[in-house]
């Protein structure tokens, strides 16, 4: 099965896999969100394969519900489920980081092969490629601060790679509560991977 939690905002619902970081979709209503999550199963499978993981998720099973907010309706998962506060074994942390690294690699490769001009429309509004990439990188630095990884704005790809390497090192460690950072590692992995993957799919859809 695929363990899923639902984050319910005033108008929209996020369905997020607990075991596959970044596999999250949002829609109007629980059933619609679950259906959309499973519709994206083949696309997430590409990321799992890049990470060297077998991906046979099975049917979604809702194991938790959390209240959302206006951020949920805006299109970003925001609430931290209680399940993310449980201890994180090293093997699970390393698996999550492998998926995050795969998402980074596919995002960078897709951006490098795409033209600056992206198709306009509701999926991405008016942002062209460079603005999407800048948005992802800037958000990533902000998210990293939630686990006490702090870097100045990038001046080169090497600066970006250094930040990602430190972030991957921190998130690949086993973790025990209580939490001493803004986000617990499980949630940080999911939120980071979701943001990269969401914009990876945006570029694929709009190029």
């Amino acid at each position: 099965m695929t363990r899923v939690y639902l984050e319910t905002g005033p108008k929209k619902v996020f369905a997020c896999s607990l075991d596959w970081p970044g596999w999250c979709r949002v829609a109007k209503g629980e059933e619609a969100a679950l259906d959309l999550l499973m519709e994206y199963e083949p696309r997430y499978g590409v990321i799992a394969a890049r990470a060297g993981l077998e991906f046979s998720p099975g049917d979604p099973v809702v194991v938790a519900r959390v209240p959302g907010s206006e951020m949920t309706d805006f299109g970003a998962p925001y609430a931290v489920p209680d399940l993310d506060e449980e201890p994180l074994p090293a093997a699970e942390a390393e698996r999550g980081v492998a998926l995050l690294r795969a998402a980074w690699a596919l995002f960078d490769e897709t951006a490098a092969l795409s033209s600056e001009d992206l198709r306009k429309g509701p999926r991405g509004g008016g942002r062209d490629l460079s603005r999407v990439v800048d948005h992802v990188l800037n958000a990533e630095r902000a998210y990293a601060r939630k686990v006490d990884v702090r870097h100045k704005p990038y001046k080169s790809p090497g600066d970006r790679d250094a930040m990602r390497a430190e972030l991957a090192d921190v998130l690949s460690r086993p973790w025990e509560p209580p939490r001493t950072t803004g986000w617990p590692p499980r949630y940080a992995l999911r939120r980071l991977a979701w943001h990269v993957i969401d914009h990876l799919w945006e570029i694929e859809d709009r190029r």
Side-chain angles (χ1 to χ4, degrees):
M1 70 176 184
T2 295
R3 296 191 308 150
V4 174
Y5 74 90
L6 300 177
E7 176 182 324
T8 304
K11 297 179 181 178
K12 295 184 180 180
V13 177
F14 255 102
C16 295
S17 168
L18 282 162
D19 302 309
W20 296 97
W23 187 21
C24 304
R25 292 287 87 191
V26 64
K28 292 182 178 180
E30 292 188 359
E31 291 302 321
L34 289 167
D35 288 345
L36 189 60
L37 183 75
M38 300 312 294
E39 183 180 319
Y40 274 72
E41 177 185 338
R43 296 180 77 169
Y44 191 89
V46 175
I47 296 156
R50 182 61 174 264
L53 299 173
E54 182 179 350
F55 184 63
S56 302
D59 294 332
V61 176
V62 177
V63 296
R65 287 176 168 83
V66 295
S69 66
E70 288 77 12
M71 283 296 293
T72 315
D73 288 354
F74 178 73
Y78 193 72
V80 178
D82 289 343
L83 289 166
D84 287 344
E85 304 283 1
E86 295 179 353
L88 179 65
E92 186 178 343
E94 291 166 2
R95 176 180 174 276
V97 168
L99 289 160
L100 178 58
R101 288 187 182 278
W104 279 333
L106 288 166
F107 178 85
D108 293 345
E109 290 169 10
T110 301
L113 294 172
S114 301
S115 64
E116 174 64 14
D117 295 329
L118 298 177
R119 179 174 54 83
K120 303 300 186 287
R123 182 61 180 87
R127 285 192 299 204
D128 287 325
L129 179 67
S130 59
R131 291 183 64 192
V132 174
V133 171
D134 287 346
H135 166 70
V136 169
L137 296 181
N138 289 329
E140 197 165 82
R141 283 196 313 107
Y143 293 166
R145 290 196 290 270
K146 294 290 191 177
V147 290
D148 290 347
V149 174
R150 302 177 186 277
H151 281 252
K152 295 179 179 179
Y154 306 138
K155 295 183 178 180
S156 70
D159 293 339
R160 177 205 63 192
D161 294 344
M163 197 284 294
R164 287 178 172 176
E166 183 179 353
L167 189 57
D169 177 64
V170 167
L171 293 177
S172 64
R173 301 169 189 168
W175 178 81
E176 294 277 347
R179 191 202 320 177
T180 58
T181 57
W183 287 345
R186 271 199 185 88
Y187 181 80
L189 277 166
R190 186 181 311 114
R191 183 69 178 269
L192 280 156
W194 162 78
H195 196 245
V196 175
I197 292 167
D198 189 58
H199 288 291
L200 161 66
W201 289 340
E202 175 192 346
I203 295 171
E204 290 177 343
D205 291 345
R206 294 180 57 216
R207 64 183 179 178

